[in-house]
Amino acid sequence: MTVDLVKHSAGDSDVLWAARVSTAGEQSLAEMTKDPERSKGLINYLMRDRHGSPFEHNSMTFLISAPIFVFREFMRHRVGWSYNEESGRYRELQPVFYVPDASRKLVQEGRPGKYVFVDGTQEQQDLTERTMTESYGRSYEAYQEMLAAGVAREVARAVLPVGLYSSMYATCNARSLMHFLGLRTQHEAAKVPSFPQREIEMVGEKMEEQWARLMPLTHAAFNANGRVAP
């Protein structure tokens, strides 16, 4: 899975001038040229007391490559997000499929709402890799056979599994990203526990790493206040 930050307009100063317009009016634009480090207390205050709107005045666009089942979970996040995904109607899809490596815990123990994942045996790992690879191969052969027979791409794609890789642009602001991270990553600083599927968490971790470089004070305040979106 890959995540590339393709464009952005995002910095800690975006939070400051947006927040200070309530008291300084148009003079708050002067905050854009000031060192945000001097005002990190304000950022922490806004995060702590959940004054969320100042964190919306920025934008980040990511190009994400991941299995289709990851994107289906992404689509649950609608407020503050925009998506455009590659289309199987208009292009021939390539045979790139997801097979979990040995680091992916395979076995779920416990009941819904109270479960953990544990490492599988080598036999389970071998079975998973072999079965998924064989299934992917058969489905892609069927897809190619239908295309060769003149069946439309939008029809033939129905035989492909959700383990197929896709790509999309995802655009968000810091507030919507924080909400996403609060739900889709596990973190020792989190005030509210979350139990994401590992694959979407891997994408979230990569997005967070790039966002933290753009808005380090906002990111630090997010962690310091329990990783709860304001």
Side-chain angles (χ1 to χ4, degrees), residues 22 34 39-40 43 65 79 140 155 198:
S22 62
K34 291 183 178 179
S39 299
K40 65 181 180 181
I43 292 176
S65 176
V79 178
Y140 198 75
V155 176
R198 178 55 187 152

Side-chain angles (χ1 to χ4, degrees), residues 1-8 59-66 71 74 81-82 84 165-172 177 202-211 213-214:
M1 277 161 273
T2 61
V3 176
D4 295 308
L5 180 66
V6 296
K7 67 174 183 176
H8 70 86
S59 177
M60 293 164 280
T61 298
F62 299 92
L63 175 61
I64 302 169
S65 176
F71 288 173
F74 249 105
W81 288 86
S82 297
N84 278 95
Y165 268 71
S166 186
S167 60
M168 72 171 178
Y169 288 115
T171 299
C172 62
L177 180 58
M202 293 165 65
V203 173
E205 290 168 348
K206 293 177 184 294
M207 297 172 76
E208 181 171 1
E209 180 181 354
Q210 299 190 57
W211 167 58
R213 289 197 293 266
L214 298 176

Side-chain angles (χ1 to χ4, degrees), residues 77 178-186 193-197 227:
H77 298 270
M178 284 186 279
H179 182 260
F180 174 88
L181 295 173
L183 292 172
R184 299 299 182 176
T185 62
Q186 292 182 317
S194 185
F195 306 94
Q197 183 162 340
R227 293 175 68 84

